[in-house]
Amino acid sequence: MNRIESLPSMAPTPPHDSNIPLTVLVSTRAVIFDNENNLVVSPATLSLSPQTGTIISILPSILPASSFPSDTLYIDHSPHLLLPGLVDAHVHLNEPGRTEWEGFETGTKAAASGGVTTVIDMPLNAIPPTTTVNGLKEKIKAAHGQCYVDVGFYGGIIPGNSAELLPLVEAGVRGFKGFLIESGVDEFPAVSSADVALAMTTLAKTPTTLMFHAEMIPPITASVGDDVQVSEAPLAPSGPLTSYDTFLSSRPPSFETYAIEEVLSSAHLAPELQLHIVHLSAIEAIPLLRQARKDGIKITAETCFHYLALAAEEVAQGDTRHKCCPPIRSSLNRDGLWAELSKLDSVIQTIVSDHSPCTPELKLLPDNLSYGCGSALGHTTTKGVNGELITNEEGRQKERGDFFASWGGISSVGLGLPILWTEATSRSSNAASVSIIDVVRLCAINTSKQVGLSHKKGALRPGMDADVCIFDDNATFVVGREQMLFRNKVSPYQGREMRGVVKETWVRAEKVFERGATNRGFVSKAGPTGKLLLEKREI
């Protein structure tokens, strides 16, 4: 496994005695740093400050409750794991404008239930998108008072908004995303090579991350392609539109490799700018990225829980819950992603959810899959992707289970840790597997670094935010509606047995979620107390 990059310096560990009220969490197993700055699983005593919301001290042993003042809140979580709260650096919360798809309240509740203490919101699919400072202000207004975890924001790059990029940096966005293929929503069009070059030169000296949805249709290709997230069927489909194989063949790996080559061709314009490929799915792109990194280009990639847990061969006829772009590929491709993660020099530095929900109607689920998912039965109209009203008759003209006409996106925020742990433990005898230390590295330490928050998020260290996930790595559960706290209960994971249960989630030393407690587990008497992370990025 690759090493941790650019960690905060080791902070001195203060004595455990204190004159201020403390919260102390202990366990026989915690993922912390040793004296050589290596991540280890160790007994630990974490002293937290409710006043500052930070970690006061970490000791690599268990101190008894008698070691602390009598008013200390002392909780022994043994044998469960104490992990840093996860940082999901790729989430579509969609509010305002498409709040019926997802919103800050439901999305951050779902995150908290899965041990995620920080989410970074994508610049689409809200209306307006976060492509201007005014658009960011609308986001902030919509998010105020609704968030159960801390939330940061990305800006977007679209044709014609280059003058907004530096002001957005000043306003606190954590990075920028652009599409090299049409996004599927009218207000967030794809960028050209000239737009990419302009964004790179504009941001060349700025501490930020420039990210790309890396799919492009090569000028010569055997695939007629489905060049947007939502479209009419291609003129010459290779098979039934309800067959996943038909959809998969329309977005071959060459779409990803061609787009990545396009990004790399402009990288010389901003040699110090951190570049990043979102939701990498095709293993054919890995050698390109490895060579680029060897050549000194600052580029990383992320993959998603669904590319590591799902496979094309397993997708049933018409099960559009599995549609996303880039697509879920073969089990052989999935094995290749795991093999890459196991390498010391892996180009895949982070794993994220890419939670991209929509209403059940837009998934065009067959009747046998749509029961109980919350579709608007009885309504005379439904809202289309771009806000157009679609009558029931018009809706019936679209074939249920059509992978080309349905919205592309996987809903999974808050399920990522058990998804990843289930698959990792099933591969435990395989060299291409990950440990709980690797999970922390890929889903917390490196994701916080990706968005310039490694000074306060993503690790258990004195002085950092006291974001803690209590994880029972042996418990199992079956994903049902009660586990899917995001707004629309449409996910390919429904009905699957998972290994690993988040017992509690603490955000800045406050317990916000407790499995099995009243109010569906949301125990904070103050309600949603998540902060909006709007400090100007410095790293």
Side-chain angles (χ1 to χ4, degrees), residues 215 244-245 247-249 251-253 256 279-282 303-315 319-334 337 353-354 363 403 408-411 491-493 496:
E215 285 186 289
Y244 187 75
D245 284 345
F247 172 67
L248 181 60
S249 66
R251 299 183 91 109
E256 291 189 68
H279 48 52
L280 181 76
S281 79
T303 194
C304 303
F305 302 118
H306 42 273
Y307 299 130
L308 296 169
L310 306 174
E313 298 94 324
E314 302 165 0
V315 181
D319 192 350
T320 52
R321 294 176 301 181
H322 292 78
K323 180 185 177 179
C324 60
C325 302
I328 294 162
R329 303 192 186 276
S330 69
S331 58
L332 188 63
N333 185 90
R334 177 179 62 186
L337 293 174
S353 71
D354 187 11
K363 271 295 186 185
F403 281 99
I410 304 289
S411 293
S491 176
Y493 300 106
R496 288 176 174 252

Side-chain angles (χ1 to χ4, degrees), residues 1 132 170 194 213 252 285 355 376 407:
M1 297 293 175
T132 65
E170 293 294 320
H213 178 125
H355 175 66
W407 174 258

Side-chain angles (χ1 to χ4, degrees), residues 225-406:
D226 155 27
D227 65 348
V228 293
Q229 294 270 45
V230 168
S231 76
E232 297 301 319
L235 296 177
S238 59
L241 304 184
T242 56
S243 167
Y244 187 75
D245 284 345
T246 307
F247 172 67
L248 181 60
S249 66
S250 78
R251 299 183 91 109
S254 59
F255 279 30
E256 291 189 68
T257 56
Y258 185 65
I260 289 171
E261 287 172 343
E262 179 70 21
V263 172
L264 294 175
S265 71
S266 298
H268 65 281
L269 298 173
E272 298 305 312
L273 180 62
Q274 181 63 56
L275 305 176
H276 184 73
I277 303 301
V278 300
H279 48 52
L280 181 76
S281 79
I283 58 174
E284 289 85 350
I286 290 171
L288 295 175
L289 293 168
R290 179 170 290 112
Q291 184 60 50
R293 287 167 64 87
K294 185 178 179 181
D295 293 342
I297 295 175
K298 296 178 65 174
I299 190 164
T300 55
E302 69 189 36
T303 194
C304 303
F305 302 118
H306 42 273
Y307 299 130
L308 296 169
L310 306 174
E313 298 94 324
E314 302 165 0
V315 181
Q317 186 86 359
D319 192 350
T320 52
R321 294 176 301 181
H322 292 78
K323 180 185 177 179
C324 60
C325 302
I328 294 162
R329 303 192 186 276
S330 69
S331 58
L332 188 63
N333 185 90
R334 177 179 62 186
D335 291 345
L337 293 174
W338 280 96
E340 176 63 19
L341 287 172
S342 71
K343 294 179 179 178
L344 289 173
D345 62 343
S346 176
V347 302
I348 302 174
Q349 291 286 302
T350 53
I351 304 174
V352 296
S353 71
D354 187 11
H355 175 66
S356 184
C358 67
T359 58
E361 292 77 16
L362 295 178
K363 271 295 186 185
L364 296 177
L365 286 171
D367 291 341
N368 66 311
L369 295 175
S370 61
Y371 178 76
C373 67
S375 58
L377 297 176
H379 293 192
T380 57
T381 60
T382 188
K383 191 183 290 187
V385 168
N386 289 304
E388 70 280 15
L389 291 179
I390 301 171
T391 66
N392 285 345
E393 180 58 34
E394 291 170 326
R396 280 190 288 270
Q397 293 173 7
K398 294 186 176 182
E399 184 177 4
R400 299 283 144 180
D402 183 339
F403 281 99
F404 292 87
S406 66

